[in-house]
Amino acid sequence: DWLRPEFDERGISLDVSLADPCGRVFGEPSRFEQVIINLLINARDAVQKVLDDAVSSDQAGIVRISVSDDPVREIVAIEVRDDGPGISPANIDRVFEPFFTTKGPGSGTGLGLSISYGIVTGMNGKLHARNTGEGAEFRIELPRIMPTDVAGASVAEIDLE
């Protein structure tokens, strides 16, 4: 909820699509929330760059986050997509390296994606980056858990809206 006004102030739409029902994943909610926030802020910054460089004020900036459940592959997938400039082919293989950034001085440490990658892999998941025809996409794939996997464990919800 606290990120949406920041997107609105910049003229960037934040579209959220959640699978219902959705499988559960195992992990520390606050650490996973850090991953989601980092991906959303990076997407916001990428879209902002396009909006700042736009000749026309008709340009619409969009960041999409979607959660899907694949019971056949036993994964829950979270995708963050933007309609920014995408990731340079020269940089796509480096985005998860510590201290690598494409932002200007004072605008980023180059640690956000590296830390996010570590959190996701620590949850036995995968984090991928790729370019789409409209910008960049970061996809998280996490293994679904079954009730027998976490007998007696508590479940914490992460609110994406």
Side-chain angles (χ1 to χ4, degrees):
D1 282 342
W2 62 271
L3 272 177
R4 189 174 295 277
E6 192 173 318
F7 278 68
D8 291 343
E9 287 173 14
R10 296 168 184 246
I12 300 171
S13 296
L14 178 59
D15 294 340
V16 179
S17 174
L18 306 173
D20 185 30
C22 189
R24 306 261 179 178
V25 299
F26 188 76
E28 176 61 40
S30 62
R31 304 242 319 137
F32 187 66
E33 190 172 79
Q34 179 182 359
V35 172
I36 299 301
I37 290 169
N38 182 66
L39 294 177
L40 288 173
I41 288 173
N42 283 353
R44 179 207 64 199
D45 291 349
V47 170
Q48 186 68 56
K49 181 176 178 2
V50 169
L51 293 177
D52 290 346
D53 294 343
V55 176
S56 166
S57 62
D58 295 339
Q59 177 84 24
I62 301 172
V63 173
R64 293 179 179 88
I65 182 167
S66 62
V67 179
S68 59
D69 188 0
D70 186 342
V72 174
R73 292 182 53 215
E74 296 186 356
I75 64 164
V76 173
I78 300 97
E79 292 179 351
V80 176
R81 299 179 120 205
D82 64 60
D83 65 352
I87 304 165
S88 162
N91 295 334
I92 194 87
D93 293 332
R94 300 190 62 206
V95 294
F96 299 117
E97 291 178 12
F99 303 107
F100 179 78
T101 183
T102 59
K103 295 179 181 178
S107 297
T109 62
L111 290 173
L113 288 175
S114 176
I115 290 170
S116 296
Y117 187 86
I119 291 170
V120 170
T121 57
M123 296 172 67
N124 295 317
K126 298 175 183 172
L127 176 57
H128 307 280
R130 73 180 188 102
N131 285 312
T132 67
E134 296 140 2
E137 174 188 273
F138 286 82
R139 179 178 171 91
I140 301 166
E141 294 181 351
L142 297 168
R144 296 171 95 233
I145 57 171
M146 302 313 225
T148 55
D149 293 337
V150 289
S154 62
V155 176
E157 299 287 328
I158 297 174
D159 185 12
L160 294 176
E161 293 210 68

